[in-house]
Amino acid sequence: MFKQTAGEKLIEQLIEWGVDHIYGMPGDSINSIIEPLRKAKDKIKFIQVRHEEAGALAAAAYAKLTGKLGVCTAIAGPGAIHLLNGLYDAKLDKAPVLAITGQVETDLMGTDYFQEVNLDRLFDDVAVYNQRIMSAEQLPAVVNQAIRTAYAKKGVAVLTIPDDIPRFEVGKEARITTNFSVKQELSPQLNDLNKAKVLIEQAERPVILAGNGVHGERETLLAFAEKIGAPIVLTLPGKGVIPDKHPYCLGGLGLIGTKPSYEAMQEADFLMMIGTSFPFTGFLPEHAKTIQIDIDPTQIGKRVPVDVGLAGDAGATLRSLTDQISRKEDREFLEKNQERMNKWWEKLEKQEADESEPIKPQRLVRALQQVASDDAVMSVDVGNVTVWMARHFHMTNQSFVISSWLATLGCGLPGAIAGKIAFPNRQVFAVCGDGGFGMMMADFVTAVKYELPMVVVVMNNHKIAMIKFEQEVMGNAEFGTDLHNPDFAKYADACGGVGYRVERSEDLLPSLQKAVMQNNPCIVDVVIDVDEAPMPGKIQFSQAVGYTKHMVKELFQEGKLDLPPL
């Protein structure tokens, strides 16, 4: 009679849960898992990354893009520690991820053995489920519970497996449990819906703030907005919920947002927050009546006082409200904001059309828009690149993935790798600054190895430019932000990919057009203007004061005076 080892049972269960690939690196304390993974390679693929952090970030991005479980693996000690940053990204962006880590053998635990780390304690904060497996019989039930919890709580599950356990046979006394998760549909209480209806119908200057929780409910959101005559402001994770150039869209909010969204919030007498727990509360209206819809009741009223909380699924709740309220006939506030937005687009279009050199980042984003398909996957890194993409890339039906709450540098390339694995027939871009790409650039080789055609666009200004901007706003002289970069195009060639170096505006669009036609991973290394600061849509007085202090310090300490682009 065939007997399964615990390692074989683990891989079998992953396949039953629909997992078709794992990101990671092999090593001594997980070799007893890697071997059954090798035997099942026709059903589940092992994606060997060059750094475990890239594997965890890719798993998180895969979960964000698809809603399916992202899986990564690492050895005990150093490998497990390297996973942490990507796992925290998944935690904060509420993405279901399973991390499988090795551990020293059970008889060596507690002896300060080679590479032994207290992984139970290490992962305790990041995980919604964190369990060390201590017997082959325990493994099947715990694996199912880990995955079920990751899905139900939209978070990270960690399984720590001592290296001897996967080699043991699973006895018939092992518990058999369910290998699927069950969803529930949450609806607000009728009393709360009635209170919300009253506030909505009293509103004269309503604004909607839509976040990540509204993805997939575009038509529902637009039907509600049309009925109450409200413009829609998008959080960064909510970018793409509706097209950026839709008549009801005012773009983003905050330092990366638009001036019309700021002005609408200042004038609003009613705010509807949907699927977001927006952290930058200084940009929200102070005296507006506020309703918050969230599937997680603990998020309601977490950052700002609300008048009514609706705990439920965003789409179902909006449909219920839309059916109950009467159409608002007065469109004056909406039309006023639409006029402002049209003027804002005119301003941005002038910036995007600037063909001066060094190349303006806005010009680069316009060229990217010209080559990106309607369903492209846009994996955007953190830094100034976030501002340029959030403000100037006009989403239609593309997928937009980023590290939104942790905002970790280096997420762009792993996100593109995950995007191409998730959607092999779609165009995939990683849009990175030179700082973010430099952190994870080793894994460009991973894209080459697994033949994942993608375009990595590097905004290269030899600076950690956002930090430069932050220092200047604080009134400080710039320090520690210079980068010494290689020629990223030559690096792409050396890795077996294709590289294009762009220093002149006339070469920008042709290089991107060539890159999207390649069947290999490409890097388009674009030298951009280092002095182009990502100015907020609305400049605060304190920021202007900070710039003034910065200019004085530059004059007296550095003997120069470069006026910032206020």
Side-chain angles (χ1 to χ4, degrees), residues 127-397:
V128 294
Y129 186 90
N130 181 21
Q131 186 64 47
R132 186 201 315 162
I133 293 177
M134 295 303 292
S135 72
E137 285 71 33
Q138 177 198 12
L139 181 139
V142 169
V143 170
N144 282 340
Q145 188 64 18
I147 298 175
R148 190 180 299 115
T149 306
Y151 272 125
K153 295 188 176 181
K154 296 182 179 178
V156 176
V158 178
L159 296 178
T160 300
I161 308 178
D163 195 34
D164 52 327
I165 299 297
R167 297 194 294 268
F168 297 150
E169 291 181 350
V170 179
K172 57 186 177 181
E173 62 271 27
R175 293 181 60 205
I176 304 300
T177 59
T178 302
N179 61 354
F180 61 84
S181 60
V182 179
K183 295 181 180 180
Q184 58 182 344
E185 185 166 304
L186 295 177
S187 299
Q189 293 187 353
L190 183 60
N191 184 47
D192 291 331
L193 284 169
N194 289 334
K195 290 179 184 177
K197 178 176 179 256
V198 172
L199 286 187
I200 292 168
E201 296 195 330
Q202 290 175 346
E204 295 180 359
R205 299 182 302 278
V207 175
I208 295 169
L209 180 63
N212 190 48
V214 204
H215 277 292
E217 296 290 349
R218 175 179 292 184
E219 296 308 318
T220 303
L221 175 63
L222 288 173
F224 176 76
E226 198 283 329
K227 201 158 189 182
I228 70 170
I232 299 169
V233 176
L234 300 174
T235 68
L236 180 61
K239 186 174 174 67
V241 164
I242 63 172
D244 282 307
K245 285 208 164 182
H246 190 279
Y248 279 76
C249 186
L250 297 185
L253 184 64
L255 293 177
I256 66 172
T258 70
K259 185 178 179 182
S261 71
Y262 175 87
E263 291 172 334
M265 286 292 178
Q266 293 300 302
E267 297 173 2
D269 69 349
F270 171 82
L271 174 65
M272 173 75 92
M273 299 174 63
I274 311 172
T276 179
S277 182
F278 190 73
F280 307 111
T281 56
F283 291 93
L284 300 179
E286 290 186 24
H287 305 295
K289 295 291 185 181
T290 303
I291 296 173
Q292 185 175 358
I293 300 174
D294 204 289
I295 200 165
D296 180 359
T298 66
Q299 299 298 318
I300 296 176
K302 182 177 183 178
R303 305 191 192 282
V304 292
V306 300
D307 295 279
V308 178
L310 300 176
D313 173 77
T317 304
L318 283 177
R319 283 188 287 273
S320 178
L321 286 171
T322 305
D323 289 342
Q324 294 181 45
I325 59 178
S326 54
R327 186 180 187 275
K328 179 180 173 64
E329 298 303 326
D330 183 0
R331 303 277 143 160
E332 182 180 353
F333 182 67
L334 173 64
E335 291 168 359
K336 177 182 178 181
N337 283 285
Q338 288 173 332
E339 289 175 12
R340 288 170 172 169
M341 199 62 195
N342 289 334
K343 291 178 182 177
W344 176 259
W345 285 127
E346 290 174 6
K347 176 184 175 180
L348 294 196
E349 285 168 6
K350 289 178 182 177
Q351 296 173 1
E352 294 162 9
D354 186 346
E355 296 192 2
S356 63
E357 294 171 1
I359 297 168
K360 301 293 185 186
Q362 301 96 318
R363 177 74 186 88
L364 168 54
V365 177
R366 170 182 274 199
L368 182 59
Q369 185 93 51
Q370 291 175 267
V371 300
S373 59
D374 188 59
D375 66 345
V377 177
M378 313 301 297
S379 178
V380 179
D381 219 307
V382 168
N384 277 2
V385 62
T386 314
V387 181
W388 304 128
M389 286 296 290
R391 193 175 289 166
H392 292 272
F393 191 87
H394 312 145
M395 294 280 287
T396 51
N397 296 302

Side-chain angles (χ1 to χ4, degrees), residues 10-11 14 21-27 29-34 37 44-59 70-76 78-84 87 97-103 123 157-161 166:
L10 168 65
I11 302 305
L14 292 177
H21 70 287
I22 299 175
Y23 305 95
M25 293 182 71
S29 57
I30 59 167
N31 280 333
S32 53
I33 296 171
I34 294 295
L37 188 56
I44 185 168
K45 192 171 185 178
F46 180 68
I47 306 296
Q48 177 215 58
V49 293
R50 302 306 289 266
H51 194 295
E52 290 92 348
E53 181 181 351
L57 285 168
V71 184
C72 55
T73 187
I75 66 168
I81 293 168
H82 283 163
L83 291 177
L84 266 179
L87 298 184
V97 166
L98 174 67
I100 302 168
T101 71
Q103 182 56 288
F123 291 115
V158 178
L159 296 178
T160 300
I161 308 178

